[in-house]
């Protein structure tokens, strides 16, 4: 049981997967994203919807934000695949299920899921147990970030071609890293082949978050602190754009959470809207 505990995905990865399933189960259609595969992987037990962090009303804006960013990423991947990009790298993959849900797109790519060795071994086992398996075009790349392993070297060993364009995605990660660590990652990615694209989320300082969403952000910060993974880095959009350009990106754009809300939730009659507080950097080499 001790091994199982060490290998289990972290609380954040599980919560995100369950919120994505909640969107399908409690929000009326049209669904922005349909993902109950993460729920199958997590197997949280029959009473998971009674967890305090799954309260349908209180968490509605958070789950909307999760599905909005996931849908944007998947639309981006499909678009890039149509333009001939053949490599997709997910940093901190967690319980990402793109490969299982969208094989018609994923199988046109080489998909590299990068994560800590323990949780990734757990995920590999669960995918096998559930009958999904690991197709040839999906590579699970274990990287011990805590031991400062070079993720790019591990990626190359798994078959990644640094000479060909790729899409690199990092969602829900930067708040846990120092700004120096994020800058180092950006420098590595900016050195990839011309035409590569990075999509990275970042948290805004509380003064830039809509007032109605500040209590939720505060609760998230407190929860992260209590679980031993505190939020340590926040960025204003100009600061993140400046960092991307300083670290070598040819082009950098800021996408606000509000723009994703407009793109995917406009016209809904149920009032479902994503919370503010998390924005996106979209940068190209």
């Amino acid at each position: 049981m001790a091994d199982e505990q060490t290998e289990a995905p972290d609380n954040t990865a599980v919560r995100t997967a369950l919120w994505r399933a909640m969107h399908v189960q409690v929000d009326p259609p049209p669904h922005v994203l349909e993902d109950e595969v993460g729920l199958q992987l997590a197997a949280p037990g029959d009473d998971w919807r009674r967890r305090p962090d799954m309260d349908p009303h209180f968490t509605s804006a958070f789950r909307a934000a999760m599905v909005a960013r996931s849908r944007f990423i998947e639309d981006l991947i499909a678009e890039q695949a149509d333009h001939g990009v053949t490599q997709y790298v997910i940093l901190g993959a967690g319980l990402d299920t793109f490969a299982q849900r969208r094989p018609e797109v994923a199988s046109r790519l080489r998909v590299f899921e990068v994560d800590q060795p323990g949780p990734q071994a757990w995920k590999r086992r669960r995918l096998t147990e559930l009958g999904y398996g690991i197709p040839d075009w999906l590579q699970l790349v274990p990287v011990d970030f805590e031991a400062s392993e070079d993720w790019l070297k591990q990626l190359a060993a798994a078959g990644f071609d640094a000479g060909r364009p790729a899409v690199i995605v990092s969602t829900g990660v930067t708040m846990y890293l120092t700004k120096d660590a994020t800058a180092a990652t950006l420098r590595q990615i900016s050195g990839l082949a011309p035409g590569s694209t990075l999509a990275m989320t970042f948290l805004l300082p509380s003064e830039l978050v809509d007032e109605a969403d500040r209590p939720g952000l505060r609760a998230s910060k407190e929860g992260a602190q209590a679980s031993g993974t505190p939020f340590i880095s926040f960025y204003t959009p100009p600061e993140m754009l400046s960092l991307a350009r300083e670290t070598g990106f040819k082009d950098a754009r800021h996408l606000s959470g509000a723009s994703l809300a407009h793109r995917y939730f406009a016209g809904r009659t149920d009032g479902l809207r994503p919370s503010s507080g998390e924005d996106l950097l979209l940068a190209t080499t």
Side-chain angles (χ1 to χ4, degrees):
M1 291 300 290
D3 288 346
E4 188 76 20
Q5 187 66 26
T6 15
E7 289 189 353
D10 67 31
N11 292 334
T12 305
V14 172
R15 186 181 303 115
T16 300
L18 299 188
W19 276 344
R20 285 157 63 125
M22 281 282 284
H23 175 57
V24 178
Q25 295 190 7
V26 307
D27 297 324
H31 295 125
V32 175
L33 187 88
E34 296 191 3
D35 181 9
E36 293 181 283
V37 177
L39 171 63
Q40 294 175 34
L41 286 169
D46 294 340
D47 61 347
W48 68 274
R49 282 175 50 170
R50 291 195 288 275
R51 289 170 41 156
D53 58 356
M54 291 297 124
D55 179 271
H57 175 70
F58 179 71
T59 65
S60 65
F62 297 115
R63 68 173 176 270
M66 292 301 103
V67 298
R69 81 179 187 193
S70 298
R71 172 64 183 274
F72 172 80
I73 296 298
E74 295 194 7
D75 287 351
L76 172 69
I77 299 307
E79 175 189 280
Q80 291 291 306
D82 286 344
H83 290 144
V85 172
T86 58
Q87 300 183 110
Y88 173 29
V89 179
I90 312 168
L91 296 179
L95 296 181
D96 190 277
T97 59
F98 171 74
Q100 290 75 48
R101 292 179 297 101
R102 301 289 305 278
E104 76 286 357
V105 179
S107 61
R108 294 160 55 196
L109 305 159
R110 293 208 72 188
V111 180
F112 300 87
E113 294 193 10
V114 179
D115 212 339
Q116 292 277 18
Q120 197 169 76
W122 176 93
K123 185 176 185 182
R124 180 185 292 276
R125 186 167 61 250
R126 290 293 295 142
L127 286 171
T128 302
E129 288 169 355
L130 290 169
Y132 290 105
I134 314 290
D136 292 344
W137 41 263
L138 175 61
Q139 300 294 319
L140 301 186
V141 185
V143 177
D144 191 344
F145 294 102
E146 292 170 5
S148 301
E149 279 190 352
D150 186 329
W151 63 272
L152 263 181
K153 282 185 181 175
Q154 300 296 101
L155 207 53
F160 179 76
D161 185 351
R164 296 173 65 85
V167 178
I168 316 288
V169 167
S170 172
T171 58
V173 174
T174 57
M175 68 280 251
Y176 301 112
L177 304 177
T178 65
K179 293 189 175 184
D180 285 347
T182 293
T185 300
L186 288 172
R187 281 190 199 93
Q188 288 179 297
I189 297 171
S190 71
L192 296 178
S196 295
T197 300
L198 166 70
M200 174 182 276
T201 62
F202 60 95
L203 288 187
L204 301 174
S206 58
E207 63 270 18
L208 297 184
V209 177
D210 292 350
E211 195 167 343
D213 294 327
R214 289 179 192 173
L217 174 63
R218 195 159 48 244
S220 295
K221 285 173 67 175
E222 290 168 358
Q225 180 80 38
S227 64
T229 52
F231 295 170
I232 57 177
S233 295
F234 299 83
Y235 300 84
T236 66
E239 182 182 8
M240 182 54 85
L241 289 172
S242 175
L243 186 61
R245 292 177 183 127
E246 287 167 9
T247 52
F249 282 93
K250 183 175 69 176
D251 179 62
R253 287 190 290 140
H254 162 238
L255 274 75
S256 68
S259 70
L260 297 188
H262 179 73
R263 181 180 303 201
Y264 297 119
F265 292 84
R268 290 190 73 97
T269 57
D270 59 358
L272 184 66
R273 299 284 286 183
S275 58
S276 62
E278 183 180 71
D279 284 3
L280 266 159
L281 167 71
L282 196 62
T284 53
T285 57

